[in-house]
Amino acid sequence: MPLRLITGPANSGKAGVVLEAVRAAVTAGRDPLLVVPTLEDVEHYRRELADTSVMGVRVERFAGLIEQIARRAGVAGRPLGEVARERLAAAALGPALPGAAPALARLAAELQIARVTPERLRRAGAGQAADAYGAYLGALRRARAVDAEGYAARALDALRREPRRWGGTPVLLYGFDDFTALELDAVETLARVVDAPVTLSLSFEAGRHAFAGRAGALAELAPLAAEHVTLPPRPEHYRSPVLHHLERSLFEEDPTPMGAGDAVRLLQGGGERAEYELVAGEIAELLERGLAPEDIAVVARSLTSIAPLLAQVLEEYQVPVALPRHPIALAHTGVGRGLVSLLRAAGPGGRADELLAWLRSPGMVEQAGLVDRLEHELRRRGEVSAVAARALWESYAWPLDALDRVAQAAQLGPAALIERADRELRSLFAAPRRGRAALLAGADALEARAFAAAGQALEQLAELARADPAPLAGEGAVLGALERLEVQAGERSREGAVSVLEPLGLRARRVRVLLLVGLQDGAFPAPASGEPFLSDVERTRLAREGGLRLARREPGLAAERYLLYATISRARERLVLSWHDADDDGAPQVRSPFLDDIAALLDGGLPVRTRALGAVDWSGGARPTPAAERRAAAATGPRRAGRQLGPLCAPAVLEGLRARPAWSASALEQYAGCPMRWLVERQLRAGDLDPDPEPLARGGLAHAVLEATLRRLGTGLQDANLSAALALMREELAARAAERPVSPRPERAAAATRRLQSDLERLLTRAAATTSRFSPAHLELGFGFEDEPDPTPALDLGEGLRIRGRVDRIDVDPRRGEAIVIDYKATKAPDGGKWLSERSYQLAVYMRVASDLLGLRTVAGLYQPVSVRDQRPRGAALADVVDGLLPGDEREDRAALDALVEETIDALRAAWREASAGWIEARPDTCLPAGRCALPAICRSER
């Protein structure tokens, strides 16, 4: 048994002993094989061996060792890919346990390595798991395939039968903190059966609580060892005695505390972002002091959920960072989202948002505005199906034949669909890169990995379809496999960057400063996740009652303690620990109990640096970056309402304002309320993908229905023709609401339309009951629009100001030549006394249109509310126009009415002078009712 087992605590020199054994094997001409856990470790040790002029060493991961065993043992073929394996597991489970396929694949892998058959599992008392496992093995047989663990078991069994096939190649394993059943099987086969020289290192120190989680691995390996070398701790690897003290004392009973000094500190954020800002500030200070970025590492128990925010904050603080490879869904990449969305949109029940996502794939549509237009129309109409979206797109753009090709391929079966998906994948990847030989770096490198991963997945599925199409025959089987596919994002550690890692990612090296982040209760130590097949409780029962011993699946506290020990032992000079006492919404959070374990080793506890939730300034310390300096300056005092931004200065813009042929009264009303809002909404005119807000859509519909009803009625509204008017109104409302619904949600649109019908019925009934000598003469009267037939000219208000617009309604008494001007409003209907204070200029303008352009004597201007309980009009009128039309305090004599109109027009002219000169300022107090700002993210002006 030539196994040489090397154990010792962290930083005891295990790597040196293993590498010395590598050199000795090379010197003896034996071509050793060095096996390490990760691809980063492979690259690291290849470089280290090359730097010391050690040539002829093959460095592989464990999968590479299995490939060597299979090749030498004569095991042909190759194992089933992960995507195809999960598809077989899903088919074996059927629809009864959706989402359990990965768990079944894991269980099958474990049981095959343990050489447990379904019958053995059933006899032990696990019938349900045995059925699922048996169904999976049956699916493998029908597909004439073998999965990775079955392939490895075959290779090891073949080598056990013919040990001489291995030869005398030495095998050295370094960096493994624990060993799976398959790895232990391989070590035993090579060391005990093949009698190959095997050297293996394991972090372990007898009697230490920190290593309790690794005792099982030692118990398996120790009986195989011909030589067991135990290495003592070596303090020279630490620049700080405090860090060596932590390594020696963590989780031990009754340790002697030591002062933390500058070697250990705690960062406590008021929220998750505040915590990461403290981490970024700490790193920025270290870099400014001269530390190289590669001497710093940020470690988290799991990066799955925190990586995006952590990376974003570090980049904002100008920290060069190398985020490690971590899995993201294929659909979160450009090419993957395009392929998945195409398959979804082409399938039964395809949705409009899926078709939009496909069209927005890079390179699909050069003019993005075409897709924006489609989305806008779909939202406005409330259409949600891909069929409707396609019909609308093809009404103004090109045919979407790819949808037909995918749908037809799906009808022909899995093999045809997979082939078509592969073609569409290649087209999607090539689309933005045609005609250029671009270097695939950064975002393009991720797209390339996504393209490769999707292509490999489709190749696996194609092989499975050729062998046994049944597992892929279900609706959505191919799509489901792609939806679950993951792509490795991020990058490997590199020079000039701070590494961001999970605990075991740092095991091959040490750093000067280590920042362990996210020390939250429930995060580190990690909670048990549970298994749908054979939980740890069930495994204990099987061992006790059925004699079947299977390893525990849940990590347990002992394993988490070892991960903490392995992590903090990597720091040579400083250890920084961080947590947040609330989430970013302010909900309280609890810190990890591991922080208390570390604090107990330090005399006086942990020195703490804090940062409040939502903090901007860096009080009490230097600003870590220029951006933080600017944010701190911005926080020194509140912004003032009405802050002046100055005039527009581009000559072309100013010339356009001065040369404008006509202005609208509503635009000048908006300018008077807030020039900033006018600039954004009226000048920049950014398109909005969302449909009109429901109140705006409802008001537009009400205007159109009233105009059409009164126009078709042809005479004034009276009790005698009220029934006819109501019938016409309902007819117009039904037709127009179908064309332009109030809401894109059908249930909301129906309810809102019913409410509007009720409001219009009340309005018409009230109008019919009012005795009046006036009847509608002008409906939706446009003025200043030269492209209309028989146009009415713009209203000239002098000084070069010309106004155009559309008057909702003008009622006329033809015998006296008098007019009442009516403007419909959804709710707000200010009386004449508030026209100036509320900047309601339109009615005064429309009254001048009636007098100046139509030659009528205007006797009233009324705002008519529609969607309120009290539908009485408000405005200003001569006292003798209609008895009871307005409250007494809104009736004027001729001079007062004319003066009110002229004062309002003067305010309009004042707004025009400033607007035409391009003067811009923020006025949040008058931007919207109740002193609200319409554009807080743009305006940045606080009250």
Side-chain angles (χ1 to χ4, degrees):
M1 294 190 300
L3 172 63
R4 186 186 186 206
L5 177 62
I6 302 165
T7 62
N11 301 314
S12 57
K14 296 185 294 297
V17 175
V18 172
L19 292 180
E20 184 57 38
V22 170
R23 296 185 185 96
V26 171
T27 301
R30 304 186 67 181
D31 297 329
L33 176 62
L34 176 62
V35 182
V36 293
T38 68
L39 187 59
E40 287 80 359
D41 295 336
V42 170
E43 295 177 350
H44 173 79
Y45 284 104
R46 282 175 179 169
R47 288 194 302 268
E48 183 165 334
L49 290 168
D51 289 344
T52 56
S53 301
V54 178
M55 303 300 177
V57 181
R58 180 188 293 271
V59 185
E60 296 281 0
R61 290 178 293 170
F62 184 77
L65 173 62
I66 293 296
E67 289 176 3
Q68 284 289 314
I69 292 174
R71 184 177 61 80
R72 297 188 188 191
V75 176
R78 60 177 181 173
L80 193 68
E82 189 67 28
V83 173
R85 176 165 74 168
E86 281 202 13
R87 186 57 240 161
L88 282 180
L93 289 170
L97 291 172
L104 176 57
R106 290 194 299 270
L107 176 66
E110 177 187 8
L111 294 176
Q112 288 181 93
I113 293 302
R115 310 316 195 266
V116 175
T117 65
E119 291 74 18
R120 173 73 178 89
L121 191 62
R122 187 174 290 105
R123 288 197 302 270
Q128 183 180 8
D131 291 341
Y133 178 37
Y136 171 76
L137 293 181
L140 277 175
R141 286 192 296 271
R142 287 189 296 274
R144 300 185 296 278
V146 59
D147 61 15
E149 284 70 26
Y151 180 78
R154 288 185 186 181
L156 290 169
D157 290 345
L159 188 60
R160 284 173 181 266
R161 289 190 296 268
E162 297 184 75
R164 60 178 180 77
R165 283 178 171 267
W166 179 255
T169 303
V171 179
L172 304 101
L173 297 97
Y174 174 73
F176 292 86
D177 289 86
D178 201 359
F179 290 90
T180 66
L182 174 58
E183 291 163 350
L184 289 170
D185 193 343
V187 169
E188 181 184 6
T189 299
L190 290 169
R192 186 175 64 82
V193 179
V194 176
D195 204 33
V198 179
T199 301
L200 180 151
S201 71
L202 177 69
S203 291
F204 188 83
E205 187 176 7
R208 292 283 305 276
H209 292 293
F211 294 94
R214 296 298 179 260
L218 183 68
E220 296 279 353
L221 292 167
L224 304 176
E227 179 185 3
H228 184 177
V229 179
T230 58
L231 301 177
R234 295 171 59 181
E236 63 267 23
H237 288 296
Y238 296 96
R239 295 189 180 185
S240 167
V242 178
L243 297 180
H244 184 239
H245 166 68
L246 290 184
E247 186 274 322
R248 300 309 306 150
S249 305
L250 186 64
F251 302 126
E252 296 304 302
E253 297 177 0
D254 302 321
T256 301
M258 176 182 287
D262 291 332
V264 185
R265 69 171 57 177
L266 176 64
L267 305 179
Q268 179 178 334
E272 188 176 11
R273 184 181 182 88
E275 176 193 348
Y276 300 155
E277 287 177 340
L278 282 170
V279 169
E282 185 84 11
I283 296 174
E285 291 180 7
L286 292 170
L287 296 177
E288 190 166 340
R289 283 171 39 197
L291 263 73
E294 53 268 30
D295 286 333
I296 305 169
V298 178
V299 179
R301 175 61 180 86
S302 173
L303 289 170
T304 302
S305 60
I306 73 170
L309 179 58
L310 178 60
Q312 175 187 341
V313 172
L314 292 176
E315 289 171 0
E316 286 178 3
Y317 281 74
Q318 302 175 1
V319 173
V321 60
L323 198 66
R325 293 286 172 85
H326 58 283
I328 64 171
L330 173 70
H332 291 174
T333 66
V335 66
R337 181 169 54 253
L339 178 62
V340 169
S341 299
L342 170 59
L343 296 181
R344 287 173 178 165
R351 302 195 311 270
D353 61 333
E354 294 159 348
L355 186 141
L356 287 166
W358 169 52
L359 289 176
R360 286 207 165 95
S361 300
M364 274 290 295
V365 179
E366 292 185 4
Q367 298 181 22
L370 292 174
V371 188
D372 293 342
R373 173 184 172 184
L374 174 63
E375 183 174 358
H376 173 72
E377 287 298 317
L378 290 170
R379 292 192 181 195
R380 187 180 62 79
R381 299 183 183 195
E383 299 285 2
V384 296
S385 73
V387 173
R390 177 182 181 177
L392 186 56
W393 171 269
E394 292 181 344
S395 69
Y396 65 81
W398 55 88
L400 301 178
D401 296 332
L403 294 169
D404 296 327
R405 292 194 294 269
V406 171
Q408 291 166 5
Q411 293 295 320
L412 295 175
L417 178 59
I418 293 167
E419 181 183 0
R420 171 48 54 190
D422 186 65
R423 291 186 180 184
E424 297 297 339
L425 171 69
R426 295 173 185 277
S427 176
L428 285 165
F429 183 71
R433 300 172 180 86
R434 288 191 179 94
R436 60 187 185 94
L439 177 65
L440 298 180
D444 277 344
L446 175 59
E447 290 299 303
R449 288 197 293 273
F451 170 68
Q456 291 167 5
L458 290 169
E459 182 181 354
Q460 292 179 31
L461 295 175
E463 290 180 2
L464 180 59
R466 288 190 291 270
D468 181 16
L472 296 168
E475 182 178 313
V478 174
L479 174 59
L482 292 173
E483 287 176 326
R484 289 188 295 274
L485 183 62
E486 292 182 333
V487 180
Q488 293 298 315
E491 59 185 331
R492 301 184 186 97
S493 58
R494 56 183 171 84
E495 291 186 6
V498 174
S499 296
V500 180
L501 305 162
E502 292 185 353
L504 295 182
L506 198 61
R507 55 189 158 191
R509 64 190 180 98
R510 291 181 289 271
V511 291
R512 290 179 62 182
V513 179
L514 186 142
L515 298 98
L516 179 54
V517 306
L519 283 166
Q520 308 296 129
D521 186 32
F524 200 4
S529 58
E531 284 283 336
F533 301 103
L534 299 187
S535 67
D536 281 353
V537 173
E538 181 72 2
R539 288 164 185 261
T540 301
R541 185 189 67 79
L542 292 177
R544 184 177 62 249
E545 300 177 4
L548 179 60
R549 293 182 58 192
L550 297 172
R552 292 176 59 89
R553 296 302 299 265
E554 299 175 0
L557 181 59
E560 293 296 295
R561 282 180 167 179
Y562 176 78
L563 283 183
L564 179 70
Y565 166 85
T567 301
I568 68 171
S569 65
R570 299 292 89 192
R572 300 170 58 201
E573 188 173 313
R574 177 179 291 183
L575 174 66
V576 181
L577 311 166
S578 75
W579 75 292
H580 49 272
D581 56 17
D583 63 20
D584 283 349
D585 293 326
Q589 301 285 298
V590 179
R591 74 183 197 171
S592 167
F594 282 167
L595 280 174
D596 298 322
D597 291 322
I598 296 172
L601 304 177
L602 302 172
D603 189 13
L606 288 164
V608 182
R609 176 181 287 184
T610 62
R611 183 166 175 78
L613 176 65
V616 173
D617 198 4
W618 285 82
S619 57
R623 320 297 187 205
T625 67
E629 178 74 39
R630 291 192 294 272
R631 283 197 295 271
T636 56
R639 299 183 180 93
R640 295 173 300 176
R643 63 191 180 103
Q644 296 177 351
L645 303 179
L648 302 174
C649 57
V653 174
L654 293 174
E655 180 59 30
L657 292 174
R658 287 190 291 266
R660 181 174 293 183
W663 294 68
S664 71
S666 62
L668 293 174
E669 282 184 352
Q670 187 180 66
Y671 177 89
C674 182
M676 176 68 83
R677 183 184 176 197
W678 168 84
L679 173 66
V680 172
E681 295 185 0
R682 299 282 181 150
Q683 299 303 114
L684 301 181
R685 297 183 181 180
D688 194 344
L689 289 177
D690 290 324
D692 291 338
E694 191 171 307
L696 184 60
R698 192 173 187 273
L701 182 59
H703 274 70
V705 170
L706 286 171
E707 186 268 337
T709 299
L710 295 176
R711 189 180 299 280
R712 290 178 63 185
L713 191 64
T715 62
L717 185 58
Q718 302 169 355
D719 282 335
N721 59 7
L722 175 60
S723 296
L726 292 175
L728 290 172
M729 180 273 293
R730 295 180 188 120
E731 180 182 327
E732 290 290 336
L733 179 61
R736 294 172 186 271
E739 294 175 359
R740 303 209 47 152
V742 175
S743 171
R745 296 167 54 189
E747 68 279 7
R748 289 282 303 164
T753 303
R754 287 195 298 271
R755 286 196 300 272
L756 179 58
Q757 178 176 315
S758 177
D759 290 338
L760 294 178
E761 287 173 349
R762 289 191 300 107
L763 180 65
L764 292 175
T765 300
R766 183 181 182 281
T770 301
T771 303
S772 175
R773 54 189 171 87
F774 296 85
S775 60
H778 302 279
L779 302 171
E780 294 294 319
L781 172 67
F783 60 98
F785 299 102
E786 297 180 356
D787 55 347
E788 292 188 350
D790 193 20
T792 301
L795 177 64
D796 191 344
L797 294 178
E799 303 181 27
L801 172 58
R802 291 164 56 83
I803 301 293
R804 69 178 180 183
R806 198 169 297 278
V807 187
D808 290 342
R809 176 177 154 195
I810 301 177
D811 290 0
V812 175
D813 178 355
R815 291 177 299 174
R816 299 187 182 184
E818 294 178 340
I820 297 176
V821 178
I822 299 174
D823 189 50
Y824 296 120
K825 293 292 183 186
T827 55
K828 181 183 175 183
D831 59 53
K834 297 179 181 178
W835 288 1
L836 289 172
S837 62
E838 296 188 7
R839 297 162 302 285
S840 297
Y841 305 150
Q842 292 182 68
L843 202 49
V845 169
Y846 299 159
M847 292 171 73
R848 287 287 296 270
V849 168
S851 60
D852 292 9
L853 300 182
L854 302 181
L856 300 170
R857 180 171 176 266
T858 307
V859 296
L862 307 176
Y863 285 116
Q864 174 63 64
V866 174
S867 301
V868 292
R869 179 60 55 185
D870 183 2
Q871 292 182 324
R872 289 180 299 171
R874 308 302 297 269
L878 294 182
D880 60 348
V881 173
V882 179
D883 186 37
L885 182 67
L886 291 174
D889 58 359
E890 295 184 36
R891 303 179 195 179
E892 311 280 357
D893 58 26
R894 182 79 257 174
L897 183 62
D898 291 344
L900 173 62
V901 171
E902 191 56 36
E903 288 175 2
T904 306
I905 295 296
D906 284 343
L908 181 79
R909 290 192 187 100
W912 167 73
R913 294 187 194 100
E914 291 185 350
S916 60
W919 181 254
I920 304 298
E921 68 179 9
R923 297 175 186 169
D925 288 334
T926 58
C927 184
L928 290 175
R932 295 181 293 116
C933 178
L935 305 164
I938 296 175
C939 180
R940 304 285 185 177
S941 183
E942 300 169 1
R943 295 187 63 194

